[in-house]
Amino acid sequence: MKIFLGFLLNMTSVYAQTAAEYVHLGNVSGRQEKYKEAILDYTKAIESDPNLANAYYNRGYVYIETRKYKLAISDLDKAIEIEPGYAAAYHVRGIAYFLKRKYALAIADYSKAIGLDPVNIRFYDSRMSAYFKMNDYDNVWKDIIKIQRLGGTVNPSIMNLLKDKKYRD
């Protein structure tokens, strides 16, 4: 019982001492939509270990949730700098660009994520959405085919839009 109580005390931000503990606390706060707390915990993790890519990634994700896209992109840049093969960081940075309506940059990041993890359906789905926003229907269809070959499904409303004559060759 004494060991268990000690463990619980170490899980509070007052007692957290390692970067990994702060990241865990940030994750808990983020899931509870306590974004200010999550950002503070991720910041403490980064201060404790400035080379912890997932702390920058997670804080960047929370910045997207709070619509602070410039800060999100900065953190995701740092995560990628630390860990160049971090496919999820490219994907989430692509989301930030997409939300800023910078679709070409979003597509570049989604494509990089796909290159690193070519079986992740979410990456194709995100890229398909950016292609759609750019009216690049040939590439939308290519991503739809890839999603389906990987066993995924495409939102029926998107499929209905694409079946409209104006989206056909």
Side-chain angles (χ1 to χ4, degrees):
M1 181 73 165
K2 188 176 181 180
I3 292 172
F4 180 71
L5 290 174
F7 174 77
L8 287 177
L9 287 175
N10 283 331
M11 295 314 292
T12 66
S13 61
V14 174
Y15 295 99
Q17 295 181 10
T18 68
E21 288 172 330
Y22 283 120
V23 168
H24 174 74
L25 291 170
N27 293 344
V28 170
S29 295
R31 281 191 293 274
Q32 295 173 351
E33 297 182 8
K34 296 178 181 176
Y35 298 130
K36 287 182 183 180
E37 290 176 27
I39 289 168
L40 287 174
D41 287 328
Y42 294 135
T43 300
K44 289 177 186 175
I46 291 164
E47 289 168 353
S48 180
D49 183 355
N51 292 313
L52 193 59
N54 75 324
Y56 288 100
Y57 167 83
N58 289 337
R59 190 173 70 177
Y61 194 92
V62 172
Y63 280 140
I64 289 172
E65 291 292 331
T66 58
R67 299 180 182 181
K68 296 177 181 172
Y69 306 126
K70 187 175 181 181
L71 290 172
I73 291 166
S74 177
D75 271 1
L76 294 158
D77 287 345
K78 186 66 176 176
I80 291 165
E81 176 187 319
I82 294 167
E83 195 175 317
Y86 201 160
Y90 285 101
H91 179 246
V92 173
R93 188 175 69 179
I95 292 169
Y97 283 132
F98 183 91
L99 293 169
K100 287 180 62 107
R101 295 185 175 113
K102 295 185 177 189
Y103 303 121
L105 292 172
I107 289 167
D109 273 351
Y110 298 148
S111 295
K112 180 67 175 180
I114 289 166
L116 293 166
D117 185 1
V119 296
N120 192 314
I121 293 170
R122 286 180 305 137
F123 299 168
Y124 291 98
D125 190 59
S126 295
R127 188 174 69 178
M128 177 194 65
S129 296
Y131 281 136
F132 191 87
K133 288 288 192 177
M134 294 185 70
N135 301 317
D136 184 348
Y137 304 112
D138 288 340
N139 279 315
V140 169
W141 279 110
K142 287 177 186 176
D143 279 346
I144 287 171
I145 291 166
K146 188 64 178 178
I147 290 166
Q148 291 173 336
R149 285 186 180 157
L150 290 170
T153 58
V154 177
N155 184 324
S157 61
I158 291 174
M159 294 301 290
N160 286 335
L161 280 173
L162 290 169
K163 289 177 183 175
D164 189 324
K165 289 182 184 179
K166 67 180 177 181
Y167 298 120
R168 293 183 183 199
D169 288 308

